[in-house]
Short mmCIF file of all heavy atoms in Angstrom, two decimals:
data_model
loop_
_atom_site.label_atom_id
_atom_site.label_comp_id
_atom_site.label_asym_id
_atom_site.label_seq_id
_atom_site.Cartn_x
_atom_site.Cartn_y
_atom_site.Cartn_z
N LYS P 1406 16.30 13.03 2.51
CA LYS P 1406 15.85 14.43 2.55
C LYS P 1406 16.75 15.23 3.48
O LYS P 1406 17.04 14.79 4.60
CB LYS P 1406 14.40 14.48 3.06
CG LYS P 1406 13.87 15.88 3.28
CD LYS P 1406 13.45 16.52 1.99
CE LYS P 1406 13.10 17.99 2.19
NZ LYS P 1406 12.92 18.67 0.90
N TYR P 1408 17.67 19.19 5.15
CA TYR P 1408 17.28 20.58 5.35
C TYR P 1408 18.54 21.42 5.44
O TYR P 1408 19.35 21.21 6.36
CB TYR P 1408 16.48 20.74 6.65
CG TYR P 1408 15.17 20.01 6.67
CD1 TYR P 1408 14.98 18.89 7.45
CD2 TYR P 1408 14.09 20.47 5.90
CE1 TYR P 1408 13.77 18.23 7.49
CE2 TYR P 1408 12.88 19.80 5.93
CZ TYR P 1408 12.73 18.68 6.72
OH TYR P 1408 11.53 18.04 6.74
N ARG P 1442 5.57 13.46 5.95
CA ARG P 1442 5.28 14.61 5.08
C ARG P 1442 5.63 14.30 3.63
O ARG P 1442 4.99 14.82 2.72
CB ARG P 1442 6.04 15.85 5.55
CG ARG P 1442 5.37 16.48 6.75
CD ARG P 1442 6.20 17.61 7.29
NE ARG P 1442 5.41 18.40 8.24
CZ ARG P 1442 5.95 19.26 9.07
NH1 ARG P 1442 7.25 19.46 9.08
NH2 ARG P 1442 5.18 19.94 9.90
N THR P 1445 2.68 12.24 2.44
CA THR P 1445 1.44 13.00 2.25
C THR P 1445 1.63 14.15 1.26
O THR P 1445 0.80 15.04 1.18
CB THR P 1445 0.93 13.57 3.58
OG1 THR P 1445 2.00 14.29 4.20
CG2 THR P 1445 0.50 12.45 4.51
N THR P 1446 2.71 14.18 0.55
CA THR P 1446 3.01 15.11 -0.56
C THR P 1446 3.28 16.56 -0.15
O THR P 1446 3.37 17.42 -1.00
CB THR P 1446 1.89 15.16 -1.62
OG1 THR P 1446 0.81 15.95 -1.12
CG2 THR P 1446 1.40 13.79 -2.00
N VAL P 1447 3.41 16.84 1.15
CA VAL P 1447 3.71 18.23 1.49
C VAL P 1447 5.22 18.53 1.47
O VAL P 1447 5.61 19.68 1.53
CB VAL P 1447 3.08 18.69 2.82
CG1 VAL P 1447 1.59 18.80 2.69
CG2 VAL P 1447 3.45 17.75 3.95
N LEU P 1448 6.03 17.48 1.40
CA LEU P 1448 7.47 17.69 1.23
C LEU P 1448 7.94 16.88 0.04
O LEU P 1448 7.44 15.78 -0.21
CB LEU P 1448 8.23 17.22 2.47
CG LEU P 1448 8.44 18.16 3.64
CD1 LEU P 1448 9.36 17.51 4.66
CD2 LEU P 1448 8.99 19.50 3.20
N LEU P 1449 8.93 17.41 -0.67
CA LEU P 1449 9.51 16.67 -1.78
C LEU P 1449 10.78 15.96 -1.29
O LEU P 1449 11.59 16.58 -0.62
CB LEU P 1449 9.88 17.62 -2.92
CG LEU P 1449 8.73 18.25 -3.69
CD1 LEU P 1449 9.27 19.26 -4.67
CD2 LEU P 1449 7.93 17.19 -4.40
N VAL P 1463 5.19 12.08 -5.85
CA VAL P 1463 5.59 13.37 -6.42
C VAL P 1463 4.80 13.65 -7.68
O VAL P 1463 4.17 14.70 -7.83
CB VAL P 1463 7.10 13.38 -6.71
CG1 VAL P 1463 7.50 14.69 -7.38
CG2 VAL P 1463 7.89 13.19 -5.43
N TYR P 1466 0.63 13.52 -7.05
CA TYR P 1466 0.28 14.00 -5.71
C TYR P 1466 -1.22 14.23 -5.54
O TYR P 1466 -1.76 14.14 -4.45
CB TYR P 1466 1.08 15.26 -5.39
CG TYR P 1466 0.69 16.50 -6.16
CD1 TYR P 1466 -0.26 17.37 -5.64
CD2 TYR P 1466 1.28 16.81 -7.39
CE1 TYR P 1466 -0.61 18.51 -6.33
CE2 TYR P 1466 0.93 17.94 -8.08
CZ TYR P 1466 -0.02 18.79 -7.56
OH TYR P 1466 -0.37 19.91 -8.25
N ARG P 1470 -3.53 13.09 -2.40
CA ARG P 1470 -4.29 14.07 -1.60
C ARG P 1470 -5.77 13.72 -1.49
O ARG P 1470 -6.43 14.10 -0.55
CB ARG P 1470 -4.10 15.47 -2.19
CG ARG P 1470 -2.68 15.96 -1.96
CD ARG P 1470 -2.43 17.34 -2.49
NE ARG P 1470 -1.03 17.71 -2.21
CZ ARG P 1470 -0.53 18.92 -2.37
NH1 ARG P 1470 -1.30 19.90 -2.80
NH2 ARG P 1470 0.73 19.17 -2.10
N VAL P 1473 -5.69 10.14 1.08
CA VAL P 1473 -4.98 9.97 2.34
C VAL P 1473 -5.71 10.76 3.43
O VAL P 1473 -6.31 11.80 3.16
CB VAL P 1473 -3.50 10.43 2.21
CG1 VAL P 1473 -3.39 11.93 2.09
CG2 VAL P 1473 -2.67 9.92 3.38
N TYR P 1475 -4.76 12.58 6.86
CA TYR P 1475 -3.51 12.99 7.49
C TYR P 1475 -3.80 13.78 8.75
O TYR P 1475 -4.60 14.72 8.74
CB TYR P 1475 -2.69 13.82 6.49
CG TYR P 1475 -1.40 14.40 7.02
CD1 TYR P 1475 -0.55 13.66 7.82
CD2 TYR P 1475 -1.02 15.70 6.67
CE1 TYR P 1475 0.64 14.19 8.28
CE2 TYR P 1475 0.16 16.24 7.11
CZ TYR P 1475 0.99 15.47 7.93
OH TYR P 1475 2.17 16.02 8.37
N PRO P 1477 -1.50 15.86 11.19
CA PRO P 1477 -0.14 16.34 11.46
C PRO P 1477 0.18 16.32 12.95
O PRO P 1477 -0.73 16.18 13.78
CB PRO P 1477 -0.15 17.77 10.94
CG PRO P 1477 -1.38 17.92 10.15
CD PRO P 1477 -2.35 16.93 10.67
N ARG P 1479 1.14 18.66 15.00
CA ARG P 1479 0.48 19.70 15.81
C ARG P 1479 -1.00 19.65 15.57
O ARG P 1479 -1.44 19.23 14.50
CB ARG P 1479 1.00 21.08 15.38
CG ARG P 1479 2.32 21.41 16.00
CD ARG P 1479 2.98 22.48 15.19
NE ARG P 1479 2.27 23.74 15.28
CZ ARG P 1479 2.40 24.71 14.38
NH1 ARG P 1479 3.19 24.54 13.35
NH2 ARG P 1479 1.74 25.84 14.53
N SER P 1481 -4.02 20.61 14.15
CA SER P 1481 -4.16 21.46 12.97
C SER P 1481 -5.60 21.64 12.54
O SER P 1481 -5.89 21.64 11.36
CB SER P 1481 -3.36 20.86 11.82
OG SER P 1481 -2.02 20.84 12.17
N LEU P 1482 -6.47 21.81 13.50
CA LEU P 1482 -7.84 22.15 13.11
C LEU P 1482 -8.04 23.62 13.46
O LEU P 1482 -7.19 24.26 14.05
CB LEU P 1482 -8.83 21.28 13.86
CG LEU P 1482 -8.68 19.78 13.58
CD1 LEU P 1482 -9.69 19.00 14.38
CD2 LEU P 1482 -8.86 19.49 12.10
N TYR P 1483 -9.20 24.14 13.08
CA TYR P 1483 -9.46 25.55 13.34
C TYR P 1483 -10.01 25.72 14.74
O TYR P 1483 -11.11 25.28 15.05
CB TYR P 1483 -10.41 26.10 12.29
CG TYR P 1483 -9.77 26.06 10.93
CD1 TYR P 1483 -10.09 25.08 10.01
CD2 TYR P 1483 -8.80 26.98 10.60
CE1 TYR P 1483 -9.47 25.04 8.78
CE2 TYR P 1483 -8.16 26.94 9.38
CZ TYR P 1483 -8.50 25.96 8.48
OH TYR P 1483 -7.87 25.92 7.27
N ASP P 1485 -10.96 28.28 16.29
CA ASP P 1485 -12.07 29.21 16.49
C ASP P 1485 -13.36 28.71 15.82
O ASP P 1485 -14.35 29.42 15.82
CB ASP P 1485 -11.71 30.62 16.00
CG ASP P 1485 -11.18 30.62 14.58
OD1 ASP P 1485 -10.90 29.53 14.05
OD2 ASP P 1485 -11.05 31.71 13.99
N LEU P 1486 -13.30 27.51 15.27
CA LEU P 1486 -14.53 26.92 14.76
C LEU P 1486 -14.99 25.86 15.76
O LEU P 1486 -14.19 25.26 16.45
CB LEU P 1486 -14.30 26.25 13.39
CG LEU P 1486 -13.89 27.14 12.22
CD1 LEU P 1486 -13.97 26.36 10.92
CD2 LEU P 1486 -14.74 28.38 12.12
N GLU P 1490 -18.55 22.48 13.13
CA GLU P 1490 -18.13 23.31 12.00
C GLU P 1490 -16.85 22.78 11.36
O GLU P 1490 -16.71 22.76 10.14
CB GLU P 1490 -17.92 24.77 12.44
CG GLU P 1490 -19.22 25.54 12.58
CD GLU P 1490 -19.06 26.84 13.35
OE1 GLU P 1490 -17.98 27.05 13.96
OE2 GLU P 1490 -20.00 27.63 13.36
N PHE P 1494 -16.66 21.37 7.61
CA PHE P 1494 -15.72 21.98 6.67
C PHE P 1494 -14.89 20.91 5.97
O PHE P 1494 -14.78 20.90 4.75
CB PHE P 1494 -14.81 22.97 7.40
CG PHE P 1494 -13.74 23.54 6.53
CD1 PHE P 1494 -14.05 24.44 5.52
CD2 PHE P 1494 -12.41 23.18 6.70
CE1 PHE P 1494 -13.06 24.96 4.70
CE2 PHE P 1494 -11.42 23.69 5.89
CZ PHE P 1494 -11.75 24.57 4.88
N PHE P 1495 -14.33 19.97 6.75
CA PHE P 1495 -13.47 18.97 6.12
C PHE P 1495 -14.27 18.01 5.26
O PHE P 1495 -13.79 17.55 4.23
CB PHE P 1495 -12.62 18.26 7.18
CG PHE P 1495 -11.52 19.14 7.68
CD1 PHE P 1495 -11.60 19.76 8.90
CD2 PHE P 1495 -10.43 19.39 6.87
CE1 PHE P 1495 -10.61 20.62 9.33
CE2 PHE P 1495 -9.41 20.23 7.29
CZ PHE P 1495 -9.50 20.85 8.52
N THR P 1497 -16.85 18.83 3.53
CA THR P 1497 -17.16 19.53 2.28
C THR P 1497 -15.95 19.62 1.37
O THR P 1497 -16.07 19.40 0.17
CB THR P 1497 -17.67 20.96 2.57
OG1 THR P 1497 -18.60 20.90 3.64
CG2 THR P 1497 -18.35 21.53 1.34
N ILE P 1498 -14.77 19.94 1.94
CA ILE P 1498 -13.63 20.09 1.03
C ILE P 1498 -13.18 18.74 0.47
O ILE P 1498 -12.52 18.69 -0.54
CB ILE P 1498 -12.43 20.87 1.64
CG1 ILE P 1498 -11.82 20.12 2.81
CG2 ILE P 1498 -12.84 22.25 2.08
CD1 ILE P 1498 -10.52 20.75 3.28
N PHE P 1499 -13.57 17.65 1.15
CA PHE P 1499 -13.28 16.33 0.57
C PHE P 1499 -14.47 15.80 -0.21
O PHE P 1499 -14.49 14.65 -0.62
CB PHE P 1499 -12.87 15.33 1.65
CG PHE P 1499 -11.44 15.47 2.06
CD1 PHE P 1499 -11.09 16.16 3.21
CD2 PHE P 1499 -10.43 14.93 1.29
CE1 PHE P 1499 -9.76 16.30 3.58
CE2 PHE P 1499 -9.10 15.06 1.65
CZ PHE P 1499 -8.77 15.75 2.80
N GLN P 1500 -15.44 16.66 -0.38
CA GLN P 1500 -16.60 16.34 -1.22
C GLN P 1500 -17.35 15.09 -0.78
O GLN P 1500 -17.75 14.29 -1.60
CB GLN P 1500 -16.18 16.21 -2.69
CG GLN P 1500 -15.56 17.50 -3.20
CD GLN P 1500 -14.69 17.29 -4.42
OE1 GLN P 1500 -14.23 16.20 -4.69
NE2 GLN P 1500 -14.48 18.36 -5.18
N ARG P 1524 -16.10 25.40 20.83
CA ARG P 1524 -14.97 25.72 19.95
C ARG P 1524 -13.89 24.66 20.12
O ARG P 1524 -13.62 24.24 21.24
CB ARG P 1524 -14.36 27.09 20.32
CG ARG P 1524 -15.31 28.25 20.25
CD ARG P 1524 -15.27 28.94 18.91
NE ARG P 1524 -16.41 29.82 18.75
CZ ARG P 1524 -16.39 31.13 19.01
NH1 ARG P 1524 -15.28 31.70 19.39
NH2 ARG P 1524 -17.46 31.86 18.85
N LYS U 704 -19.19 24.15 -4.19
CA LYS U 704 -19.61 23.88 -2.82
C LYS U 704 -18.42 24.07 -1.87
O LYS U 704 -18.57 24.62 -0.78
CB LYS U 704 -20.11 22.44 -2.74
CG LYS U 704 -21.42 22.30 -1.98
CD LYS U 704 -21.96 20.91 -2.17
CE LYS U 704 -22.61 20.40 -0.92
NZ LYS U 704 -22.85 18.95 -1.01
N GLU U 705 -17.25 23.60 -2.33
CA GLU U 705 -16.06 23.73 -1.49
C GLU U 705 -15.73 25.20 -1.28
O GLU U 705 -15.38 25.62 -0.20
CB GLU U 705 -14.84 23.07 -2.13
CG GLU U 705 -14.98 21.61 -2.42
CD GLU U 705 -15.45 21.35 -3.82
OE1 GLU U 705 -14.61 21.41 -4.74
OE2 GLU U 705 -16.65 21.11 -4.04
N ALA U 708 -18.01 26.67 1.25
CA ALA U 708 -17.64 26.23 2.60
C ALA U 708 -16.41 26.99 3.09
O ALA U 708 -16.33 27.38 4.25
CB ALA U 708 -17.36 24.73 2.60
N PHE U 709 -15.48 27.23 2.16
CA PHE U 709 -14.26 27.93 2.52
C PHE U 709 -14.56 29.37 2.91
O PHE U 709 -14.05 29.88 3.93
CB PHE U 709 -13.27 27.89 1.36
CG PHE U 709 -11.85 28.04 1.79
CD1 PHE U 709 -11.05 26.94 2.00
CD2 PHE U 709 -11.31 29.30 2.02
CE1 PHE U 709 -9.75 27.07 2.43
CE2 PHE U 709 -10.01 29.45 2.45
CZ PHE U 709 -9.23 28.33 2.65
N LYS U 711 -17.34 30.54 4.00
CA LYS U 711 -18.07 30.53 5.27
C LYS U 711 -17.09 30.44 6.44
O LYS U 711 -17.20 31.16 7.43
CB LYS U 711 -19.02 29.32 5.28
CG LYS U 711 -20.07 29.37 6.38
CD LYS U 711 -21.07 28.24 6.18
CE LYS U 711 -21.45 27.64 7.51
NZ LYS U 711 -22.03 26.30 7.39
N LYS U 712 -16.13 29.54 6.29
CA LYS U 712 -15.10 29.38 7.33
C LYS U 712 -14.35 30.69 7.56
O LYS U 712 -14.12 31.10 8.69
CB LYS U 712 -14.12 28.29 6.89
CG LYS U 712 -12.83 28.26 7.65
CD LYS U 712 -11.89 27.22 7.11
CE LYS U 712 -10.88 27.73 6.13
NZ LYS U 712 -9.78 28.50 6.70
N HIS U 715 -16.32 33.08 9.54
CA HIS U 715 -16.27 32.71 10.96
C HIS U 715 -15.00 33.24 11.59
O HIS U 715 -15.03 33.81 12.68
CB HIS U 715 -16.31 31.18 11.10
CG HIS U 715 -17.69 30.60 10.97
ND1 HIS U 715 -18.79 31.17 11.56
CD2 HIS U 715 -18.14 29.51 10.31
CE1 HIS U 715 -19.85 30.45 11.28
NE2 HIS U 715 -19.50 29.43 10.50
N HIS U 716 -13.87 33.04 10.89
CA HIS U 716 -12.59 33.54 11.44
C HIS U 716 -12.66 35.04 11.70
O HIS U 716 -12.23 35.53 12.73
CB HIS U 716 -11.43 33.29 10.46
CG HIS U 716 -11.07 31.85 10.31
ND1 HIS U 716 -11.12 30.96 11.35
CD2 HIS U 716 -10.63 31.15 9.25
CE1 HIS U 716 -10.74 29.77 10.94
NE2 HIS U 716 -10.43 29.85 9.65
N ARG U 719 -15.16 36.08 14.51
CA ARG U 719 -14.87 35.60 15.86
C ARG U 719 -13.58 36.17 16.41
O ARG U 719 -13.16 35.82 17.50
CB ARG U 719 -14.80 34.07 15.84
CG ARG U 719 -16.18 33.50 15.71
CD ARG U 719 -16.18 32.02 15.58
NE ARG U 719 -17.52 31.60 15.25
CZ ARG U 719 -17.86 30.35 15.03
NH1 ARG U 719 -16.95 29.40 15.10
NH2 ARG U 719 -19.09 30.03 14.72
N ARG U 898 -1.62 33.06 8.91
CA ARG U 898 -2.12 32.44 10.13
C ARG U 898 -2.27 30.92 9.94
O ARG U 898 -1.97 30.14 10.83
CB ARG U 898 -3.46 33.04 10.55
CG ARG U 898 -3.94 32.46 11.87
CD ARG U 898 -4.99 33.29 12.51
NE ARG U 898 -6.26 33.08 11.87
CZ ARG U 898 -7.42 33.35 12.46
NH1 ARG U 898 -7.45 33.85 13.66
NH2 ARG U 898 -8.54 33.13 11.84
N GLU U 899 -2.71 30.53 8.77
CA GLU U 899 -2.85 29.09 8.51
C GLU U 899 -1.48 28.42 8.50
O GLU U 899 -1.34 27.28 8.91
CB GLU U 899 -3.55 28.86 7.16
CG GLU U 899 -4.90 29.52 7.08
CD GLU U 899 -6.03 28.52 6.94
OE1 GLU U 899 -5.78 27.32 6.99
OE2 GLU U 899 -7.18 28.97 6.79
N LYS U 900 -0.47 29.17 8.03
CA LYS U 900 0.88 28.62 8.06
C LYS U 900 1.34 28.47 9.49
O LYS U 900 1.88 27.46 9.88
CB LYS U 900 1.85 29.56 7.34
CG LYS U 900 1.76 29.56 5.85
CD LYS U 900 3.03 30.21 5.30
CE LYS U 900 2.87 30.66 3.88
NZ LYS U 900 4.06 31.35 3.41
N GLU U 901 1.12 29.54 10.27
CA GLU U 901 1.63 29.55 11.62
C GLU U 901 0.95 28.49 12.48
O GLU U 901 1.59 27.84 13.31
CB GLU U 901 1.42 30.95 12.22
CG GLU U 901 2.35 31.26 13.36
CD GLU U 901 2.18 32.68 13.84
OE1 GLU U 901 2.11 33.59 13.02
OE2 GLU U 901 2.10 32.87 15.07
N LEU U 902 -0.35 28.32 12.33
CA LEU U 902 -1.07 27.35 13.15
C LEU U 902 -0.94 25.93 12.60
O LEU U 902 -1.40 24.98 13.21
CB LEU U 902 -2.54 27.73 13.26
CG LEU U 902 -2.82 29.06 13.96
CD1 LEU U 902 -4.30 29.35 13.99
CD2 LEU U 902 -2.27 29.03 15.38
N GLY U 903 -0.35 25.79 11.43
CA GLY U 903 -0.16 24.45 10.88
C GLY U 903 -1.36 23.94 10.11
O GLY U 903 -1.34 22.83 9.58
N THR U 904 -2.44 24.71 10.07
CA THR U 904 -3.63 24.24 9.36
C THR U 904 -3.41 24.20 7.85
O THR U 904 -4.10 23.48 7.15
CB THR U 904 -4.85 25.14 9.66
OG1 THR U 904 -4.44 26.49 9.53
CG2 THR U 904 -5.36 24.90 11.06
N GLU U 906 -1.13 22.80 6.41
CA GLU U 906 -0.66 21.47 6.06
C GLU U 906 -1.82 20.57 5.66
O GLU U 906 -1.72 19.81 4.69
CB GLU U 906 0.11 20.88 7.25
CG GLU U 906 1.26 20.00 6.82
CD GLU U 906 2.13 19.56 7.99
OE1 GLU U 906 2.35 20.37 8.92
OE2 GLU U 906 2.59 18.42 7.97
N ILE U 907 -2.93 20.64 6.39
CA ILE U 907 -4.04 19.76 5.99
C ILE U 907 -4.81 20.35 4.82
O ILE U 907 -5.50 19.62 4.12
CB ILE U 907 -5.02 19.40 7.13
CG1 ILE U 907 -5.21 20.55 8.08
CG2 ILE U 907 -4.56 18.16 7.85
CD1 ILE U 907 -6.24 20.23 9.13
N LEU U 908 -4.67 21.65 4.60
CA LEU U 908 -5.28 22.19 3.38
C LEU U 908 -4.50 21.72 2.16
O LEU U 908 -5.07 21.40 1.12
CB LEU U 908 -5.31 23.72 3.41
CG LEU U 908 -6.28 24.36 4.41
CD1 LEU U 908 -6.27 25.87 4.25
CD2 LEU U 908 -7.68 23.83 4.24
N TYR U 909 -3.16 21.67 2.31
CA TYR U 909 -2.34 21.13 1.21
C TYR U 909 -2.75 19.67 0.93
O TYR U 909 -2.94 19.28 -0.20
CB TYR U 909 -0.85 21.13 1.59
CG TYR U 909 -0.17 22.48 1.54
CD1 TYR U 909 0.86 22.79 2.42
CD2 TYR U 909 -0.53 23.43 0.60
CE1 TYR U 909 1.50 24.02 2.37
CE2 TYR U 909 0.12 24.65 0.54
CZ TYR U 909 1.13 24.94 1.43
OH TYR U 909 1.77 26.14 1.38
N VAL U 910 -2.85 18.89 2.03
CA VAL U 910 -3.19 17.48 1.88
C VAL U 910 -4.71 17.33 1.75
O VAL U 910 -5.35 16.67 2.55
CB VAL U 910 -2.66 16.65 3.06
CG1 VAL U 910 -2.82 15.16 2.76
CG2 VAL U 910 -1.20 16.94 3.30
N SER U 911 -5.27 18.02 0.79
CA SER U 911 -6.71 17.90 0.53
C SER U 911 -6.87 18.17 -0.95
O SER U 911 -5.98 18.71 -1.59
CB SER U 911 -7.48 18.92 1.35
OG SER U 911 -7.41 20.18 0.73
N PRO U 912 -8.00 17.78 -1.52
CA PRO U 912 -8.16 18.00 -2.96
C PRO U 912 -8.41 19.47 -3.32
O PRO U 912 -8.60 19.76 -4.50
CB PRO U 912 -9.40 17.16 -3.31
CG PRO U 912 -9.73 16.37 -2.10
CD PRO U 912 -9.14 17.07 -0.94
N LEU U 913 -8.40 20.37 -2.32
CA LEU U 913 -8.67 21.79 -2.63
C LEU U 913 -7.62 22.34 -3.58
O LEU U 913 -6.43 22.20 -3.36
CB LEU U 913 -8.64 22.61 -1.35
CG LEU U 913 -9.90 22.69 -0.51
CD1 LEU U 913 -9.67 23.68 0.62
CD2 LEU U 913 -11.09 23.13 -1.33
N ILE U 1066 2.53 24.72 -3.40
CA ILE U 1066 1.52 23.70 -3.10
C ILE U 1066 2.07 22.71 -2.08
O ILE U 1066 1.47 21.71 -1.78
CB ILE U 1066 1.10 22.94 -4.38
CG1 ILE U 1066 2.34 22.37 -5.07
CG2 ILE U 1066 0.33 23.84 -5.32
CD1 ILE U 1066 2.02 21.26 -6.03
N ARG U 1067 3.26 23.02 -1.55
CA ARG U 1067 3.85 22.18 -0.52
C ARG U 1067 4.45 23.07 0.55
O ARG U 1067 4.51 24.28 0.41
CB ARG U 1067 4.95 21.30 -1.11
CG ARG U 1067 4.47 20.38 -2.20
CD ARG U 1067 5.65 19.72 -2.89
NE ARG U 1067 5.30 19.27 -4.22
CZ ARG U 1067 4.76 18.10 -4.50
NH1 ARG U 1067 4.49 17.27 -3.53
NH2 ARG U 1067 4.46 17.76 -5.72
N LEU U 1068 4.96 22.43 1.62
CA LEU U 1068 5.66 23.20 2.65
C LEU U 1068 6.99 23.68 2.09
O LEU U 1068 7.45 23.19 1.06
CB LEU U 1068 5.92 22.33 3.88
CG LEU U 1068 4.67 21.87 4.65
CD1 LEU U 1068 5.08 20.93 5.76
CD2 LEU U 1068 3.92 23.05 5.22
N GLN U 1069 7.64 24.58 2.81
CA GLN U 1069 8.95 25.17 2.44
C GLN U 1069 8.79 26.20 1.33
O GLN U 1069 8.19 25.90 0.32
CB GLN U 1069 9.98 24.16 1.95
CG GLN U 1069 10.48 23.28 3.05
CD GLN U 1069 11.48 22.27 2.53
OE1 GLN U 1069 11.23 21.66 1.50
NE2 GLN U 1069 12.56 22.09 3.22
#
Side-chain angles (χ1 to χ4, degrees):
Chain P
K1406 174 79 188 170
Y1408 296 109
R1442 282 174 167 165
T1445 53
T1446 77
V1447 290
L1448 273 187
L1449 290 174
V1463 176
Y1466 71 91
R1470 290 181 180 190
V1473 71
Y1475 176 43
R1479 279 160 68 200
S1481 297
L1482 299 179
Y1483 296 102
D1485 52 349
L1486 297 191
E1490 281 165 349
F1494 174 71
F1495 286 103
T1497 316
I1498 65 171
F1499 280 99
Q1500 300 159 339
R1524 301 267 166 96
Chain U
K704 226 170 143 193
E705 301 94 80
F709 204 96
K711 194 172 140 200
K712 164 183 96 74
H715 280 317
H716 290 325
R719 286 176 189 178
R898 184 162 78 159
E899 303 244 5
K900 285 196 198 176
E901 203 175 314
L902 296 179
T904 47
E906 214 172 323
I907 36 176
L908 290 184
Y909 284 147
V910 189
S911 80
L913 275 186
I1066 54 161
R1067 300 170 203 274
L1068 294 175
Q1069 289 179 315

